[in-house]
């Protein structure tokens, strides 16, 4: 597992996510690992590669809630509860967004979508379980790159709603 310090993450070549974190003055750590394109789960691969509990590694999913693209950030150890996501944003119905639309709207590729530094700011919901950890890991904007930060900082920067949207 390779780590980059905050100072290194500020150097040219950062992702929009690390640029946003640096601009906000937030403390974070970047974790890089060799992505295996044959691994069945991007999130589980990240947890394994970093040696971090899957409950602390969160995946970023894009859903359509009543016609509005909405970001859901949930532990890789579980799944997104679409009904709970809809309820968290006062919606009626949620479905997973078209992957091409999610990529085009966020500016990231699937498996590397970060809740930070997206091309278009989308409503965001962070699973309430994040609060149980001093830090969590989310995609830093590309496959094989994660950023570790406090759930409070992630919530603040994304203006996220904290709600129980994950399920085992």
């Amino acid at each position: 597992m390779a780590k980059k310090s905050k100072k290194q993450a500020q150097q040219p070549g950062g992702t929009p996510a690390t640029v946003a974190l640096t601009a906000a003055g937030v403390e974070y750590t970047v974790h890089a690992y060799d992505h295996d394109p044959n691994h069945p789960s991007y999130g589980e691969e990240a947890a394994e590669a970093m040696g971090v509990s899957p409950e602390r590694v969160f995946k970023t999913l894009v859903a359509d809630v009543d016609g509005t693209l909405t970001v859901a950030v949930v532990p890789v150890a579980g799944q997104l509860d679409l009904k709970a996501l809809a309820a968290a944003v006062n919606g009626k119905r949620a479905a997973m967004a078209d992957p091409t639309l999610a990529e085009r709207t966020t500016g990231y590729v699937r498996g590397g979508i970060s809740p930070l530094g997206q091309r278009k700011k989308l409503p965001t919901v962070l699973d309430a379980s994040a609060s149980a950890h001093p830090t969590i890991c989310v995609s830093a904007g590309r496959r094989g790159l994660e950023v570790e930060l406090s759930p409070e900082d992630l919530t603040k920067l994304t203006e996220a709603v904290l709600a129980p949207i994950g399920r085992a």
Side-chain angles (χ1 to χ4, degrees), residues 62 69 97-110 113 117-122:
V62 181
L69 288 183
D98 173 72
T100 303
L101 179 60
E103 289 179 343
R104 189 170 53 241
T105 304
T106 63
Y108 293 115
V109 297
R110 193 168 43 156
I113 294 178
Q118 295 180 355
R119 183 177 288 151
K120 180 180 178 188
K121 190 165 183 70
L122 299 174

Side-chain angles (χ1 to χ4, degrees), residues 9-11 13-23 28 30 108 116 140 145 147:
Q10 293 175 6
Q11 295 175 352
T15 66
T18 60
V19 169
L21 287 165
T22 300
Y28 65 96
V30 172
Y108 293 115
L116 299 156
L145 196 66
V147 65

Side-chain angles (χ1 to χ4, degrees), residues 62-155:
V62 181
D64 180 319
V65 180
D66 299 334
T68 300
L69 288 183
T70 303
V71 174
V73 185
V74 296
V76 301
Q79 296 179 333
L80 171 61
D81 181 332
L82 289 166
K83 286 183 181 183
L85 175 64
V89 293
N90 298 315
K92 293 181 181 174
R93 186 168 126 50
M96 294 306 298
D98 173 72
T100 303
L101 179 60
E103 289 179 343
R104 189 170 53 241
T105 304
T106 63
Y108 293 115
V109 297
R110 193 168 43 156
I113 294 178
S114 177
L116 299 156
Q118 295 180 355
R119 183 177 288 151
K120 180 180 178 188
K121 190 165 183 70
L122 299 174
T124 301
V125 182
L126 174 61
D127 186 65
S129 69
S131 299
H133 309 287
T135 61
I136 60 171
C137 298
V138 297
S139 175
R142 71 172 185 254
R143 296 172 187 150
L145 196 66
E146 294 280 311
V147 65
E148 182 177 351
L149 74 164
S150 77
E152 294 80 14
D153 284 337
L154 180 62
T155 301

Side-chain angles (χ1 to χ4, degrees), residues 43-68:
E44 289 176 12
E45 175 191 22
E48 291 167 9
M50 294 185 303
V52 174
S53 164
E55 288 78 23
R56 284 191 46 230
V57 179
F58 284 64
K59 56 188 170 187
T60 306
L61 303 171
V62 181
D64 180 319
V65 180
D66 299 334
T68 300

